[in-house]
Amino acid sequence: MKLLTIDVGNSSIKVTKISMGQIESYVRLNDRNFAQQIKFEDIYAVIIASVNPKVLKLVLAQTQKRFQGHVFQLNYQSPFSFTNAYRPPATLGIDRLCGAEGAAFMHRLTGGSSDDTIITVDFGTATTINLIEQNAFIGGYIIPGARLSLKALSQDTALLPSLDMKGTIPEEGTDTRNCMVSGVVLAGVALVEKTCQTILAKQGKEPEVFITGGNADYFLPFLKHRYTFVKELTSLGMFSVGMKLLELNEK
């Protein structure tokens, strides 16, 4: 059974074909006629998650026009593998939920227990760190992503330059450019490391860490804690929930 997941983000639409939990294809598209670039012929169901309401309307309209099978739109009440202990539950972003589901899905595949602590890190437009303890999503941290942080520094100061993330990133900055870029990256790294240390001190056991996100390549070289990088982590979570929805729908 092949499912298509459509992850509508803040800056792009990520489309993934998944069969039996295995990624067959993954592509980033924009919101202009995105459905024309997708082949729906071998798809059994489409799973959609969105943090962008404006683009979601377009995605739903185009998908329903070209695909006649099951179309599920995920929300915080969808059947995830863990309980939602966030407060209030409806304010928890669907992207964070799906990323956590993807981590839980992969953790189960490798023989992990539902009682293990899982940390997911999404280095995207925002950097989000999410905690799953005792099979419950309890919260985490949200900070500006790398590019967003650099943009804020240049816009809200008189003398700091406008920068991108191109080039090397040293551990210590020796000029303005490197001080800004290194500071932004290492601040994110430090928060991840501190989160892992806190869990270890509290539970006496290291958490399982899963990392994803379009900016991850800037941060990964500096991380000391053991981690698993999965580019399609959110998509795998959407697949996992989609399979549960299909099972419920066919009862």
Side-chain angles (χ1 to χ4, degrees), residues 13 73 76 97 108 119 130 141 159 170 174 177 187 193 207 209:
I13 300 170
Q73 182 185 340
Y76 76 99
L97 277 166
R108 291 195 302 273
I119 295 175
N130 310 293
Y141 310 98
L159 298 178
T174 55
R177 182 265 175 194
E193 297 288 356
V209 179

Side-chain angles (χ1 to χ4, degrees), residues 109-235:
L109 288 180
T110 56
S113 167
S114 60
D115 290 332
D116 294 334
T117 295
I118 298 173
I119 295 175
T120 68
V121 185
D122 189 342
F123 289 116
T125 303
T127 293
T128 61
I129 300 176
N130 310 293
L131 306 177
I132 301 94
E133 295 184 12
Q134 295 296 313
N135 208 37
F137 191 113
I138 64 169
Y141 310 98
I142 304 174
I143 62 174
R147 289 188 173 89
L148 196 59
S149 296
L150 289 177
K151 184 178 180 181
L153 283 172
S154 64
Q155 284 186 345
D156 295 338
T157 60
L159 298 178
L160 292 180
S162 177
L163 298 174
D164 57 33
M165 295 296 294
K166 294 179 180 178
T168 58
I169 301 173
E171 286 204 40
E172 296 179 353
T174 55
D175 56 36
T176 300
R177 182 265 175 194
N178 286 340
C179 284
M180 292 171 65
V181 174
S182 297
V184 164
V185 170
L186 292 178
V189 169
L191 183 56
V192 175
E193 297 288 356
K194 176 62 175 177
T195 304
C196 294
Q197 292 167 10
T198 300
I199 295 296
L200 177 60
K202 183 171 65 173
Q203 300 181 357
K205 182 180 180 182
E206 289 191 347
E208 290 292 324
V209 179
F210 292 86
I211 294 178
T212 192
N215 291 327
D217 286 347
Y218 305 124
F219 296 85
L220 296 183
F222 301 102
L223 285 170
K224 301 296 190 295
H225 192 280
R226 178 175 52 87
Y227 64 85
T228 301
F229 174 72
V230 186
K231 180 173 65 174
E232 308 90 351
L233 189 65
T234 301
S235 300

Side-chain angles (χ1 to χ4, degrees), residues 12-30:
S12 66
I13 300 170
K14 295 173 279 289
V15 180
T16 309
K17 286 185 179 182
I18 306 176
S19 178
M20 303 298 292
Q22 299 296 314
I23 304 294
E24 290 197 0
S25 66
Y26 173 88
V27 63
R28 285 176 177 261
L29 304 171
N30 60 37

Side-chain angles (χ1 to χ4, degrees), residues 96-108:
R96 298 172 69 188
L97 277 166
C98 290
E101 178 72 22
F105 175 75
M106 292 195 65
H107 190 59
R108 291 195 302 273

